Amino acid sequence: MQHSPSSFFYLVVAVVFLLITWLGYRLLTRWHPVYSSRIVKYSYWLISAGALLTMAASRSLRPADGYMGFFMQALIYAVYTWVISLLVLLPVMFALYCIRFVLRKMRNKQEAAEPEIEDGKSQVSRRDFLRGVTAAAPLASLAISSGGVFIGDNYIAKQHHALSFANLPEQMANYKIAQISDTHIGPFFGMEKLDRVLTMIAQEKPDILVITGDLIDDLNLLTPTMERINRFFSTIPQGIYYCWGNHEYFRNIAAIREAWKHSPVTVLENNSRKVLEGERPFYLLGVDYPWADKKEDQQTKRRGFINRALSGVPDEAFRLLIAHHPDFFDNSFENNIPLTLAGHTHGGQVALFGKSLLPVQYKYMRGLYRQNGNYGYVSVGTGHWMPFRIGCPAEVTFFTLKPSFPGLSART
């Protein structure tokens, strides 16, 4: 089953972008005549059109080996800074419009009640102040956008979590798991960044590495990606495990599946693998992405996938589940699976006080969840398909497993 974005989707994106560009320009010219000048008008639309065309051609502009030169990367950053600044500008201008509307209402009421109190000078100064603030709104939007693009695309955090389990096998005390997710290798995650992430993982010396889907978007980079991961495999004592995300299907699941067949990495697709022997062995389970149009059908698929993954796993085994979609937490909690790792959400990429500001929300959005002593963790992603993050940095995550005892709470 293969899902791929249609040309209609890209056409819709272009139309929405042009609409946003037009709305931003209309708001600016309505309040500030300076933005109506011919040079500003032509510059605004030329930059916007150039940005749209560069975005459309960005995949073909990037070198096949994934190593972008300084000037190409600067161009891509500039384009996305401009585009995202337009998106930021709209809510900023709307907020200022609401402030101006409220102040005008308050002034009208005050003048009606006590017309002699409000003199002309104070009215002008207040109006000039608000006009100056709105005139600076484009600069503020550009500042926010440039920070979100440059820092968001370059900074990768190391997240560490120590998790306590009452039923942890003795041989797994201080066991360390590394997780990467949603790298989306392509225009904004080339081989330089992959090398950097693998170095970050090697420095922590984990026992095992799991990759929870959406590894690659640009199949031109599939071969160098596999070469690096296959070489890296020998540095992880108990192996690398991988499950499918939705973007593998978007791109070409058949080609990606074929590449993994020649890799020492274990792909888990509704099945399991014994990692450690013992009276209480350690099993790693993995599930596929639950494609379905209806919520009820997705729930049915999730139940079927997890039942297949659990098949043949001893009841006494310590189990770790990897899944791309965090909705599997419901199933893992129901089946008393101690730890489930997922991704998919990117944490929203734009957050305030840890809460996503974007309209797309999930039941399990970001970070650590716990139910009846079992854990689920949603990675915010190691990469992204759009280079913009605020309050939600990309991450490589490490989990150290600890035995717990009655009366002691888990450390996270």
Side-chain angles (χ1 to χ4, degrees), residues 14 17 36 48-51 56 89 110 118 122 137-138 144 146 175 202 220 294 308 321 374 379 390 395:
F17 170 73
S36 299
S48 298
L89 180 63
Q110 188 176 20
E118 187 80 20
S122 62
I144 294 170
S146 59
Y175 195 85
N220 290 324
K294 296 180 180 179
R308 286 162 57 186
L321 173 67
N374 300 315
S379 169
I390 290 179
E395 68 180 35

Side-chain angles (χ1 to χ4, degrees), residues 142-159:
L142 279 170
I144 294 170
S145 178
S146 59
V149 168
F150 182 78
I151 298 173
D153 194 44
N154 285 278
Y155 178 66
I156 302 175
K158 277 187 180 182
Q159 299 287 356

Side-chain angles (χ1 to χ4, degrees), residues 72-120:
M72 179 58 67
Q73 187 153 20
L75 173 63
I76 296 299
Y77 279 165
V79 163
Y80 275 86
T81 295
W82 179 262
V83 171
I84 294 171
S85 71
L86 294 176
L87 296 175
V88 174
L89 180 63
L90 284 182
V92 170
M93 293 295 289
F94 178 75
L96 291 172
Y97 176 83
C98 291
I99 292 171
R100 188 176 76 162
F101 178 81
V102 170
L103 290 176
R104 182 180 293 172
K105 288 290 185 182
M106 292 174 60
R107 187 186 69 219
N108 291 340
K109 285 185 178 180
Q110 188 176 20
E111 288 177 347
E114 302 176 88
E116 72 282 356
I117 292 180
E118 187 80 20
D119 61 25

Side-chain angles (χ1 to χ4, degrees), residues 18-73:
L18 291 173
L19 178 61
I20 290 171
T21 304
W22 178 81
L23 283 172
Y25 184 73
R26 287 288 296 169
L27 285 171
L28 289 172
T29 55
R30 181 168 180 173
W31 284 13
H32 305 285
V34 67
Y35 291 113
S36 299
S37 67
R38 182 172 298 180
I39 187 171
V40 172
K41 178 180 180 180
Y42 288 164
S43 298
Y44 179 88
W45 283 104
L46 281 173
I47 293 172
S48 298
L52 181 60
L53 292 173
T54 303
M55 285 176 61
S58 60
R59 290 183 183 275
S60 58
L61 289 173
R62 187 190 43 73
D65 61 4
Y67 289 97
M68 285 196 296
F70 172 81
F71 291 107
M72 179 58 67
Q73 187 153 20

